[in-house]
Amino acid sequence: MSGPLTIVASAAKMDFRSKFAVVGPLMRLAVIMLTNLFSMYFFFLLASYIGKSDVTPDYVIIGNMIQSIATSTLYSTSNISNMEKHTGTLEPLLTAPSRMFYTFFGKSIFGILNGIVSVTVSISFAAFVFGVDFSSANLSVIAVIGLLTCLSLTGMGMAVGSVGLYLRTSSIIASLFSYIGLLVCGVNFPVSYLPGWLQIFSYAMPLTYAVDATRMAVGGATLSAVSQPLMIMIVLGLVYLIISWFIFNLFEKISRKTGKIGSF
Amino acid sequence: MNARAVTAGFKQQAIQFFADPQWIIPSLISPFLMTMVMIFISSGGTAIEGPVVLQAVLGGGVLGMWASSLFSSSSSVSFDRINGTFEPMLGSGTRIIYVLAGRSLWSTLIGLMNAFIVFAIAELMFGTGLSLDRPFLFFLTVLMTMLSLSTVGLLISSLFVLTRKGGTIATVLEYPLYVFSGALIPISLLPGWMHPISYVLGPSWGVDAMKYAALPVHEGLMGMSIVADIAICMLLSIVMIVISYFVMLYVERKVLEYGTATRY
């Protein structure tokens, strides 16, 4: 087991170095804060403007609080293959004797930490800027949901990123999956508003269950009360991670068989 | 004015776009999803038509133009840095502002296309009809708004010459213009202290003019008429160009003074 762990640790270390080489931690934190603040404010205003009784400003703020994990963790993990292509390092990675799955998983750790920071910042904004009432909320349960969502969306991001290996510009699917939650995951309005065929996508997204569980926890639900959506979310995250393992292996085999490294 | 440099910048941006046209898709995803979110929140899951849909579609078009402009302006200099063409460009005898202006003109064209793609998809999905009150005037105001957005993009790309963090900063700038331009949410809904920020942005006046041309009844920004909207939008756009010009003069002088092309 030490082999894969070494690769994961080494990839994570390299990724941290390169991420902070251009944009330092303080600048990154400022970007997370400003992006979350403005995106939450935009949807807060939108809900205030439309004035629906079941889609209140608090409703969209809680949804966007969790959506912030998608725009950080899911995007950065899905976008790894795009970044490797962009910097010309995908080909060396493919020809290296290490399994690509482990390298990518190591690089996704930055996204997980980014997601944790992002959701913490968003919860603070929800409470102190947008005035969401957390007096009856179960904060420890919200923290558990936030952490599990980061992990679960990493699984999904790995699957999206593995498919992205095939594409010339995989930032398209990275952008699509990180923003689609705004529409299909109950972030800004109940999933029941969507047409039936679109709801199928909602229930295949871990974020839908994360948003649902968070709304319950803000209302004071205990861990056992939110266990069902959390379990579904974890299972979905694992399924996506396993799928990504098979896809990475497939592309490794194709590239070695055909010699067409990086273009399939 | 170096027309040849502007033309060359335009042509080079066009060639890069056609080499990989799928780059337009990421800048379409977020604005289109915003439009859909507004329509779904308003509809509550049932079919709707009328001013809300029209406003959502118009707003979505503006967001599409802004995303395209921002994306192009941030990537235009960042790609030069990645490709190693930034230093030779700075070292050439041509003023860089003209190259960037040519690139901005191309992004104007793509931004317009972006807006019309949003309009077309909304028409196909919702049958909005886009029953415009004054179609020709509407087209002119869309063009003017896009040009105005491009001047903001030009200023941003001039400032991005000063930093290697352009791509990171660009992500922060996406939502503020969504909020301040009044594209989806009326400026009157913002707190009073934010109004001046909206008023100094040319696109806010362009959006107001668009609404005048599209809707049968519209209460203008600060009670201004459509003629005043157009005049202010054009004036502010010229101011943006002048500021961009002086920013670039400053950068070029620094480069000549210290001989450091990418670090200041």
Side-chain angles (χ1 to χ4, degrees), chain A residues 142-159:
Chain A
I142 294 174
V144 171
I145 295 167
L147 182 64
L148 291 175
T149 309
C150 289
L151 296 172
S152 193
L153 289 182
T154 301
M156 190 175 185
M158 287 284 286

Side-chain angles (χ1 to χ4, degrees), chain A residues 38, chain B residues 62 66 144-145 147-149 151-153 155-156 173-183 187 190 194-209 221-222 228-240 243:
Chain A
F38 275 106
Chain B
V62 175
W66 171 237
M144 181 190 69
T145 308
L147 281 168
S148 178
L149 286 164
T151 61
V152 180
L155 178 62
I156 289 169
L173 296 173
E174 188 182 2
Y175 276 97
L177 201 117
Y178 289 0
V179 171
F180 294 122
S181 68
I187 291 167
L190 301 176
M194 283 188 183
H195 289 188
I197 303 171
S198 297
Y199 298 154
V200 296
L201 288 168
S204 307
W205 300 94
V207 167
D208 201 48
L221 194 59
M222 290 178 81
D229 278 350
I230 292 170
I232 298 170
C233 180
M234 288 170 80
L235 181 73
L236 288 171
S237 303
I238 292 166
V239 170
M240 288 286 178
I243 296 173

Side-chain angles (χ1 to χ4, degrees), chain A residues 57 104 127 211:
Chain A
F104 272 60
V211 172

Side-chain angles (χ1 to χ4, degrees), chain A residues 86-101:
Chain A
H86 209 61
T87 48
T89 45
L90 184 66
E91 290 81 355
L93 272 182
L94 268 165
T95 48
S98 324
R99 303 301 289 267
M100 215 162 33
F101 174 84

Side-chain angles (χ1 to χ4, degrees), chain A residues 170-194:
Chain A
S170 49
S171 72
I172 292 170
I173 50 168
S175 301
L176 180 66
F177 277 91
S178 55
Y179 282 109
I180 197 80
L182 292 169
L183 186 69
V184 301
C185 294
V187 169
N188 290 303
F189 54 86
V191 172
S192 59
Y193 281 17
L194 294 165

